[in-house]
Amino acid sequence: MFLNTLTPKFYVALTGTSSLISGLILIFEWWYFRKYGTSFIEQVSVSHLRPLLGGVDNSSPNSSSSSSSNGDADSSRQSVSECKVWRNPLNLFRGAEYNRYTWVTGREPLTYYDMNLSAQDHQTFFTCDSDHLRPADAIMQKAWRERNPQARITAAHEALDLEDCATAYILLAEEEATTIVEAEKLFKQALKIGESCYRRSQQLQHHGAQYEAQHRRDTNVLVYIKRRLAMCSRKLGRTREAVKMMRDVNISLPKSATICYTAALLKARAVSDKFSPEAASRRGLSTAEMNAVEAIHRAVEFNPHVPKYLLEMKSLILPPEHILKRGDSEAIAYTFFHLQHWKRVEGALNLLHCTWEGTFRMIPYPLEKGHLFYPYPVCTETADRELLPTVFHEVSVYPKKELPFFILFTAGLCSFTAMLALLTHQFPELMGVFAKAVSVTHFSTPDKHTTVEGFSFSSVPSALMKNCLNDTDTQGLAKHTVFKR
């Protein structure tokens, strides 16, 4: 009788109200997730049910404040320079390496944006306002602005025809030399000229702004030449000589993936050869193993893109001339030179494979929060797409956490009730009949005993029961069955 008295307007109001309530819950859940990184329903359930079950909640949003205090204090305020593009200190040689790759594959390993940044660097470090006083420097000032590689090489030869010029030898070593041996020979010639220019400008640096600019330019040229000579020695297998030259240069670099992952490799080297996930799960981690795992977690939080390249889960390409700290470009640049070091240490890659994914369970979410470092910048993907050749390389993005179950459930519930509200509003009578049918199906399930007016009938044939229930004469019904109180 209750279902028969319900009108279609009731079903419209019911489904509309349900859709509104579920939509409000969805909005609140999404807002809570964006702010605290977890579902409100899940958080309340864990907070109230886990203590009753004897557990301890370690996923509180406020727990990140205490853990982040152990992070990099100097870097926590670098919100402005998060996506600053840096010159790759280990960039390859265009003539001896990048061009050879193009000859073999037909692909351009460097983007226009990357090469344009390099051109700006060359103009900043290798030129000054007094270049017009020397014909060779004036030619090189124009050469660094040329977009055509062949025009730059021609200008460098013209400058050398006039006089010895360190920057001209630098350009030829970078872009014309087809082997590392040829590049090293040209850099050694540039080193002799650069040292003499540096000594001469050092004596005159305090005689005016013009001489200050010349000395600053000559210093940059000399440092660049020594650094590239160290790269040549490293590529030719003379590692000790390369280390000595880099120490002479004495360049202080900010925190990078190279520093973090090298520290992790050094700590992993002490335990990786005997590390076993099964044994560690049974007996727990030792102090040395714990230090190695923490170092890996620290490195992965700084740059989460490196492990897939080290584990060869993603194909490697030539590194760009500029990198973005904590981005995909930095991961490529690090792995390109250091994958061999991880392979030389027995079990290091196995330890990395077993532990690196655990980092993302420790880092607070969303990305506006940090654990050991300042928050991960959200602009890395855009910058990496400018630095890396996306034609044949898929840019890595920060691993994102999946949405909690309750948000997905609430979204589905909201969509379902909204659809029911729309259908009920458009077809009220049809939906009313459907609702009554569903209610009868779920709430009027047949029992073993059928009751009429306080009496229950049992052991009655179904056909006879149907005839009896359709008969209004209870006397006839009493003749064909047995009554039970």
Side-chain angles (χ1 to χ4, degrees):
M1 292 178 60
F2 174 74
L3 294 176
N4 290 331
T5 57
L6 297 179
T7 62
K9 293 182 179 180
F10 169 80
Y11 295 104
V12 174
L14 177 63
T15 53
T17 305
S18 302
S19 178
L20 177 62
I21 294 175
S22 59
L24 293 176
I25 296 175
L26 175 62
I27 294 174
F28 177 76
E29 277 281 289
W30 179 254
W31 169 82
Y32 194 88
F33 175 74
R34 292 288 297 174
K35 186 174 183 180
Y36 298 109
T38 185
S39 168
F40 174 76
I41 300 176
E42 181 180 358
Q43 183 71 20
V44 171
S45 301
V46 170
S47 300
H48 290 80
L49 295 180
R50 183 171 293 184
L52 297 177
L53 299 176
V56 180
D57 181 21
N58 295 324
S59 60
S60 175
N62 298 326
S63 63
S64 62
S65 59
S66 60
S67 60
S68 61
S69 61
N70 299 326
D72 195 357
D74 296 333
S75 303
S76 61
R77 298 293 183 267
Q78 299 180 1
S79 58
V80 178
S81 59
E82 283 177 349
C83 289
K84 178 182 177 181
V85 176
W86 300 76
R87 179 80 178 180
N88 184 6
L90 301 178
N91 63 301
L92 306 181
F93 297 91
R94 288 190 181 180
E97 293 172 305
Y98 286 121
N99 287 346
R100 294 172 70 88
Y101 178 82
T102 304
W103 297 339
V104 174
T105 64
R107 297 173 176 175
E108 292 291 342
L110 299 177
T111 63
Y112 175 77
Y113 175 75
D114 191 17
M115 292 187 292
N116 186 49
L117 291 177
S118 298
Q120 295 176 11
D121 293 338
H122 296 155
Q123 295 175 41
T124 302
F125 297 131
F126 300 154
T127 63
C128 64
D129 296 336
S130 61
D131 284 343
H132 63 280
L133 300 177
R134 295 180 59 189
D137 290 339
I139 294 176
M140 289 306 302
Q141 191 175 42
K142 296 180 180 179
W144 293 121
R145 298 174 182 173
E146 288 286 346
R147 294 185 178 182
N148 189 352
Q150 191 58 42
R152 292 195 296 270
I153 294 174
T154 303
H157 283 291
E158 293 177 359
L160 290 176
D161 292 338
L162 297 177
E163 57 181 326
D164 287 337
C165 180
T167 55
Y169 281 116
I170 289 175
L171 192 148
L172 295 179
E174 290 285 351
E175 301 193 22
E176 187 182 41
T178 56
T179 63
I180 302 298
V181 176
E182 294 178 6
E184 184 183 34
K185 182 179 179 181
L186 291 171
F187 274 121
K188 287 181 177 180
Q189 292 178 288
L191 180 62
K192 295 179 182 179
I193 303 171
E195 287 178 340
S196 62
C197 292
Y198 174 77
R199 288 192 295 266
R200 185 168 55 252
S201 63
Q202 188 179 22
Q203 297 174 355
L204 302 173
Q205 62 175 324
H206 300 298
H207 289 68
Q210 174 181 336
Y211 295 104
E212 285 283 351
Q214 289 181 0
H215 178 67
R216 185 166 54 252
R217 188 270 311 272
D218 293 338
T219 302
N220 292 333
V221 170
L222 185 61
V223 170
Y224 184 87
I225 293 172
K226 289 184 177 181
R227 185 167 61 84
R228 298 305 274 172
L229 278 173
M231 283 293 298
C232 292
S233 299
R234 178 181 179 179
K235 292 177 183 292
L236 295 176
R238 303 194 300 268
T239 306
R240 292 187 177 180
E241 181 180 345
V243 172
K244 182 179 181 299
M245 296 188 70
M246 289 301 293
R247 285 179 177 175
D248 294 340
V249 174
N250 192 19
I251 300 176
S252 59
L253 298 175
K255 188 170 290 295
S256 62
T258 301
I259 297 175
C260 295
Y261 278 90
T262 301
L265 178 60
L266 292 176
K267 292 185 178 181
R269 183 172 60 179
V271 298
S272 59
D273 56 338
K274 301 178 181 179
F275 178 78
S276 173
E278 295 79 9
S281 61
R282 290 194 304 268
R283 58 174 171 79
L285 296 176
S286 62
T287 303
E289 291 174 341
M290 183 63 70
N291 292 335
V293 171
E294 289 179 354
I296 291 176
H297 285 178
R298 182 181 180 88
V300 173
E301 181 179 349
F302 184 84
N303 193 316
H305 311 290
V306 175
K308 284 192 174 182
Y309 291 108
L310 289 178
L311 298 173
E312 299 183 83
M313 301 169 62
K314 190 173 183 182
S315 58
L316 194 63
I317 63 173
L318 295 183
E321 292 184 339
H322 290 79
I323 59 175
L324 182 67
K325 292 297 178 67
R326 309 183 73 178
D328 190 22
S329 52
E330 184 191 33
I332 293 173
Y334 170 79
T335 310
F336 187 85
F337 288 101
H338 296 85
L339 176 60
Q340 55 180 330
H341 302 151
W342 282 82
K343 288 186 175 181
R344 287 174 184 171
V345 178
E346 183 181 358
L349 291 175
N350 178 47
L351 179 61
L352 177 67
H353 175 72
C354 296
T355 58
W356 75 278
E357 290 182 338
T359 305
F360 305 110
R361 293 190 296 269
M362 301 172 58
I363 301 176
Y365 193 83
L367 302 183
E368 286 77 13
K369 301 179 181 180
H371 182 64
L372 298 173
F373 296 96
Y374 56 95
Y376 187 84
V378 296
C379 56
T380 54
E381 181 181 356
T382 304
D384 280 332
R385 290 189 181 277
E386 296 288 340
L387 292 173
L388 300 174
T390 56
V391 177
F392 57 90
H393 174 73
E394 183 181 356
V395 176
S396 298
V397 296
Y398 190 92
K400 298 179 180 179
K401 290 187 177 181
E402 297 181 355
L403 291 176
F405 166 76
F406 287 104
I407 288 185
L408 299 176
F409 174 77
T410 308
L413 179 62
C414 178
S415 302
F416 178 72
T417 53
M419 181 184 65
L420 285 181
L422 180 61
L423 293 176
T424 306
H425 183 267
Q426 295 293 330
F427 312 101
E429 296 181 356
L430 181 61
M431 293 301 294
V433 174
F434 175 75
K436 292 177 182 179
V438 172
S439 301
V440 170
T441 302
H442 287 278
F443 299 105
S444 300
T445 55
D447 197 357
K448 185 177 180 181
H449 302 284
T450 304
T451 304
V452 176
E453 296 183 357
F455 297 94
S456 61
F457 303 89
S458 62
S459 304
V460 181
S462 58
L464 182 59
M465 178 65 72
K466 183 178 180 181
N467 294 332
C468 293
L469 292 179
N470 290 334
D471 193 355
T472 57
D473 185 7
T474 57
Q475 297 293 334
L477 181 61
K479 297 178 181 179
H480 299 284
T481 186
V482 178
F483 287 83
K484 292 183 179 179
R485 284 290 183 182

